[in-house]
Amino acid sequence: LGMNQFELSKNEQLSEFVVQNLNKNPKFPFPDNSFDVVTCVVSVDYLIKPLEIFQEVSPPLPPGGRVLISQTNKEFFTN
């Protein structure tokens, strides 16, 4: 699930993808218990209502399913 069809189409790790602007429609288009893991990779900064979207993560996961979120640190210090 992503917002940029061109970028998703160039991702060789994907066998399929869904294009959806979660800022316009925060509802996940997936049935309950359809994933074991949901990932959010360096994307939270682009979401207008991240809490609404994180609430949508639970239904597609079975009991014991996992959510993995990764973020960059824009404020890292260098010498």
Side-chain angles (χ1 to χ4, degrees):
L1 175 64
M3 294 172 38
N4 187 313
Q5 183 169 1
F6 178 76
E7 287 180 2
L8 291 168
S9 70
K10 297 298 182 184
N11 186 335
E12 296 178 4
Q13 297 179 8
L14 298 177
S15 58
E16 59 184 285
F17 59 86
V18 174
V19 177
Q20 179 173 315
N21 185 337
L22 290 171
N23 289 321
K24 292 182 179 180
N25 180 8
K27 299 288 183 191
F28 276 28
F30 306 109
D32 291 358
N33 300 317
S34 53
F35 298 104
D36 294 323
V37 177
V38 172
T39 62
C40 180
V41 180
V42 196
S43 301
V44 175
D45 294 341
Y46 300 100
L47 300 174
I48 295 170
K49 298 179 180 177
L51 295 179
E52 286 183 28
I53 294 164
F54 286 142
Q55 290 172 343
E56 287 290 311
V57 171
S58 184
L61 291 171
R66 305 218 180 232
V67 177
L68 304 174
I69 301 170
S70 68
Q71 280 298 111
T72 60
N73 182 357
K74 295 180 183 178
E75 303 296 327
F76 66 93
F77 299 99
T78 59
N79 291 334

